[in-house]
Amino acid sequence: MTDRPTAGIKPRLVVLVSGGGSNLQSFIDACAEGSLNAQVAAVISNKAGVGGLDRAAQVGIPNIAIDHRAFDSREDFDKNLSELIDSFAPDLVVLAGFMRILTPDFVNHFLGKLINIHPSLLPAYPGLHTHQRAIDAGDSEAGATVHFVTPELDGGPSVLQARVPVLADDSAESLASRVLGFEHKIYTAAVQWFCQGRLCMENGNAILDGKSLPEQGVIFSD
Ligand code: GRF
């Protein structure tokens, strides 16, 4: 395990949000306390007025809304978004509740430096309403997965997964809130691995410390 050779220069994160930004806050806090050796260079949202932009503004991080509805096509929006992201020269682009399906061109432009968290035990339940789907299926466990992004929706290689029991009286909301606490832990941990140069994607596989990870990634334990 080796740290990046660029001593003193912190890897730059550009974080994409569409909502409240609690995962973003965990990055901001971890950078401030030193458990994450990175800097949040910018926060970008496809919606104005969301909590994630406010959280960035409160600590002086550049924050920009780029409204997808102002563009004629998904391709046009993604092209403008990728140019905006590039202007901040990120080492890693972090999707943190960014509720947009991304075009293959966008994903391929950032391939290997684009990471997401999905609130299910991937490969189970790609897409939306994951907690309700886990409850409806009678699953005993739910959770969240950090994964590299590839053009297949929620289909890129898994890095780190937190498993959370589903309780008998869980609603989708209570389960989501319990899982979210674990999201904050696993997402900052996975991004720290990347920033330390321990984690990368090669030939469609997530590699940690030189070894290919299994399908579900590392299973998180507190
Ligand atoms: C998280 O549950 C994340 O897994 C999902 O969207 C939610 C974002 O939450 N993709 P927040 O905006 O980080 O609070």
Side-chain angles (χ1 to χ4, degrees), residues 19-24 96-99 116-119 131 180 183-184:
S22 70
N23 278 289
L24 164 68
F98 188 63
M99 303 303 284
N116 184 42
I117 191 161
H118 183 73
H131 301 301
L180 192 60
E183 291 187 30
H184 302 156

Side-chain angles (χ1 to χ4, degrees), residues 152-165:
E152 186 192 344
L153 178 68
D154 300 322
S158 295
V159 172
L160 184 54
Q161 187 167 82
R163 296 181 176 173
V164 175

Side-chain angles (χ1 to χ4, degrees), residues 40-203:
V40 180
V43 174
I44 300 172
S45 172
N46 64 312
K47 286 186 183 167
V50 297
L53 292 173
D54 292 342
R55 291 177 193 269
Q58 276 163 21
V59 291
I61 295 170
N63 55 94
I64 300 156
I66 173 170
D67 189 338
H68 59 275
R69 295 171 303 183
F71 295 85
D72 288 338
S73 66
R74 191 175 291 278
E75 287 70 22
D76 199 16
F77 172 72
D78 278 11
K79 183 169 178 297
N80 278 269
L81 178 61
S82 67
E83 285 169 6
L84 179 61
I85 294 169
D86 281 342
S87 73
F88 291 99
D91 295 286
L92 183 65
V93 179
V94 180
L95 305 179
F98 188 63
M99 303 303 284
R100 294 277 307 165
I101 292 175
L102 296 162
T103 56
D105 279 356
F106 179 97
V107 172
N108 287 325
H109 180 71
F110 294 108
L111 202 65
K113 41 188 252 182
L114 184 59
I115 199 164
N116 184 42
I117 191 161
H118 183 73
S120 80
L121 299 177
L122 288 173
Y125 310 129
L128 297 175
H129 311 301
T130 53
H131 301 301
Q132 190 60 55
R133 287 156 75 194
I135 290 169
D136 291 348
D139 294 352
S140 58
E141 282 186 316
T145 309
V146 178
H147 65 97
F148 282 108
V149 177
T150 61
E152 186 192 344
L153 178 68
D154 300 322
S158 295
V159 172
L160 184 54
Q161 187 167 82
R163 296 181 176 173
V164 175
V166 179
L167 305 181
D169 59 352
D170 258 333
S171 62
E173 292 71 29
S174 64
L175 182 55
S177 136
R178 208 157 60 253
V179 169
L180 192 60
F182 282 89
E183 291 187 30
H184 302 156
K185 293 181 185 180
I186 64 173
Y187 214 1
T188 50
V191 169
Q192 171 69 345
W193 288 343
F194 185 93
C195 291
Q196 289 173 316
R198 297 177 57 188
L199 174 69
C200 65
M201 186 174 86
E202 274 173 21
N203 302 322

